[in-house]
Structures are given as structure tokens and as C-alpha cells.
Amino acid sequence: MDSDTFWNAIALVLVIEGLLPFFSPGGWRKGFGQLMQLRDGQLRFFGLCSILLGLFLLWILA
């Protein structure tokens, strides 16, 4: 993977991450508030699931 691909991927993540707060700031705030109520173990589990899903998608698309 070259550096252009890496930076394009980072830019795409930022665009996708910005969509919800842009289009629905109230919903984003409510969802973020609910995330703040989760315990550390629950957040780690969701983080692990996100990592595994991302790796699986990269494996399928490569």
C-alpha cells in the first residue's frame, strides 16, 4: 500500500465520520451521550468488532 492510498483512506474516514454530526447534530449528540454511559469493556468490545469488520472488508475487497 502506498502513502496516497493511506491518506485517501484517512480522508474518507473523516468524511464519513462527519456526515452524522452535519446532518443530524441532535441525533449525534444523543448517540454520543449513550456511548458515554457504556463501561470500558463494552466500548472495547465495540471497538474490537469495528476493527474485525474493517479487516474483513479489506480482506474481501483486496
Side-chain angles (χ1 to χ4, degrees), residues 19-54:
L19 288 176
L20 188 58
F22 180 76
F23 287 114
S24 178
W28 182 84
R29 188 176 289 116
K30 181 180 175 185
F32 192 77
Q34 290 174 344
L35 281 175
M36 295 299 293
Q37 302 300 318
L38 295 176
R39 294 186 308 271
D40 287 351
Q42 291 171 311
L43 286 174
R44 284 189 179 106
F45 175 75
F46 286 117
L48 176 63
C49 290
S50 179
I51 291 168
L52 293 176
L53 179 61

